[in-house]
Amino acid sequence: MTVHKVLKFGEPILKKKSKPVQELTADVKKLVADLLETLYASKGVGLAAPQVGVLQRICVIDFVPEGKKEPIVLINPKIVGKKGKVILEEGCLSFPGIFANVKRFDKVRIEAVNEKGLPIVVEGGGYMSRAIQHEIDHLDGKLFIDYLSFFKRRNIKKEIKNRKKAGTW
Ligand code: ZN
């Protein structure tokens, strides 16, 4: 297993659409293991394949506090149900240190395939639902700042520009 570098905002690949996984090959299994390893090393709650430079529809989520591991692997995830709207603060491993309030569906129902190639249904509310929507967006090249107003997005981009200049991005 390999810990990958998580790509930060500014990398063009983060804006691209990922392709569906056709078959659970050894390469795909390795990618899933690497995504989890990278997620744990980054102390995040969710990570999508494009964030490590691979345009495949795979993402991983784990909410369990450090020490325990209860990963959810979503391959070719699809939102099949959604309910309500809620605003919560969120961040992203591709935007270290940047947080913003984003309006998303309160509850979602997802169909996907897991790391064993079995079809799964995941239902969640609260932060689980939020993480799932955030990660699926990554597979479509959509980032959480895309939900923000023009002014908020401009401020975040300015901050990133300054941090790039300072060499801290
Ligand atoms: Zn993210």
Side-chain angles (χ1 to χ4, degrees):
M1 284 185 279
T2 316
V3 173
H4 290 264
K5 191 181 143 216
V6 177
L7 301 179
K8 290 188 198 127
F9 177 72
E11 295 278 354
I13 203 163
L14 291 174
K15 303 290 283 176
K16 290 189 178 151
K17 209 172 153 78
S18 292
K19 290 199 171 73
V21 174
Q22 303 294 345
E23 209 185 324
L24 212 64
T25 59
D27 281 351
V28 170
K29 287 180 184 169
K30 163 105 172 61
L31 175 61
V32 168
D34 287 356
L35 282 171
L36 283 168
E37 205 61 17
T38 306
L39 176 70
Y40 294 129
S42 322
K43 301 189 191 304
V45 295
L47 185 67
Q51 291 178 282
V52 300
V54 182
L55 288 172
Q56 292 212 56
R57 301 189 75 82
I58 304 173
C59 55
V60 297
I61 292 166
D62 196 336
F63 267 103
V64 175
E66 252 181 277
K68 284 189 194 168
K69 286 176 186 171
E70 276 177 34
I72 299 170
V73 175
L74 301 174
I75 299 172
N76 299 339
K78 220 187 273 173
I79 297 178
V80 292
K82 45 202 177 190
K83 217 166 127 188
K85 286 271 188 159
V86 66
I87 296 172
L88 283 174
E89 188 181 67
E90 67 185 72
C92 177
L93 288 175
S94 296
F95 290 80
I98 290 172
F99 300 90
N101 286 325
V102 178
K103 192 177 189 179
R104 292 192 186 269
F105 295 110
D106 187 19
K107 289 183 178 137
V108 289
R109 186 183 162 92
I110 306 295
E111 285 177 4
V113 171
N114 70 8
E115 70 280 15
K116 294 178 185 115
L118 301 169
I120 52 167
V121 175
V122 181
E123 268 181 335
Y127 278 101
M128 169 63 90
S129 151
R130 178 148 300 251
I132 289 173
Q133 292 171 74
H134 179 115
E135 297 314 324
I136 292 179
D137 273 352
H138 272 301
L139 306 180
D140 291 317
K142 191 164 184 180
L143 302 170
F144 80 118
I145 63 163
D146 296 336
Y147 289 90
L148 306 179
S149 70
F150 170 77
F151 291 103
K152 280 185 188 157
R153 207 162 50 235
R154 192 179 63 179
N155 286 342
I156 288 176
K157 284 183 176 170
K158 215 185 272 170
E159 188 187 330
I160 293 171
K161 209 174 160 188
N162 289 337
R163 280 170 61 181
K164 270 185 183 160
K165 249 188 240 163
T168 55
W169 185 254

